[in-house]
Amino acid sequence: MSHPQLNLSNDELLSTTRAVRKRLDFEKEVPKDVLAECLELATQAPTGSNAQGWQFMFVTDPIKKSKIGELYKQAFALYREMPMAIHHLHKESDDSLLKTSQERSASSAEYLAEHMGKVPAMLIPCVAGRIDAKMPGAELAQTAIFGSIIPAAWSFMLAARARGLGTTWTTLHIMHEKEIAELLGIPYEQYTQVALIPIAYTKGNDFKPAYRPAVETVMHFDQWG
């Protein structure tokens, strides 16, 4: 069964798949067959060496969601004080639009941290293998392992947006990865968790492209600078 989709062009889908936090509908159930339909599209993504070493853990059990939500909230409290936290970036920027955008993002991140355990569903993409930063070739291994799961996860998020669902990419739960692995039965030594993606229908579908500085400020051809 194919579920109804929003009337979005390819460009609209790519430019309006936002990090949704405050507009997640905690009350509306997300059917498992909708999640499965999005995941079927996600697994069409490419992987390094065509390994397809991915596994996808959906969490819908209220008790388990609540526990993960509490762990996420604890991690967020630590993250909030870090220099790279969303609260501290761009504070000194001369770009007032960028600063305003950042302030909105910080507010919505706070909201999600407070309510993570209430989302109808969570997705934890996992990929086979664990990387020891001290092992020979760790940099190559990291790019290969993350490059073999992130495209699929993003494809899931795009497919979700097309069906009226909101998502956002979070990683703070990794501070408690082993505990969450034990909670969900994920074999910690064999699989690395790469994200915690809340999933819910959105309150309205009128998302717009976010403010971004001109592409010329980040684009290079043949030579940096």
Side-chain angles (χ1 to χ4, degrees), residues 121-153:
M122 300 170 174
L123 169 61
I124 301 178
C126 303
V127 64
R130 299 204 68 84
I131 303 299
D132 181 347
K134 297 179 181 178
M135 64 184 282
E139 294 85 357
L140 177 59
Q142 285 175 339
T143 57
I145 196 170
F146 291 120
S148 292
I149 186 64
I150 290 175

Side-chain angles (χ1 to χ4, degrees), residues 53-133:
W54 47 38
Q55 295 290 327
F56 300 87
M57 172 63 72
F58 288 107
V59 187
T60 58
D61 178 85
I63 295 175
K64 293 181 178 180
K65 286 188 301 178
S66 179
K67 178 61 176 177
I68 293 171
E70 282 302 312
L71 293 173
Y72 185 86
K73 189 175 179 179
Q74 293 173 29
F76 192 88
L78 295 174
Y79 158 79
R80 187 189 288 114
E81 305 306 318
M82 296 178 181
M84 57 34 161
I86 193 171
H87 309 72
H88 308 308
L89 294 181
H90 307 309
K91 271 192 170 182
E92 307 305 319
S93 174
D94 294 329
D95 188 333
S96 62
L97 292 175
L98 178 58
K99 290 174 71 174
T100 299
S101 175
Q102 194 72 0
E103 289 167 3
R104 285 199 304 267
S105 295
S107 174
S108 65
E110 290 278 355
Y111 178 85
L112 181 63
E114 193 65 32
H115 296 88
M116 177 68 87
K118 299 177 182 178
V119 298
M122 300 170 174
L123 169 61
I124 301 178
C126 303
V127 64
R130 299 204 68 84
I131 303 299
D132 181 347

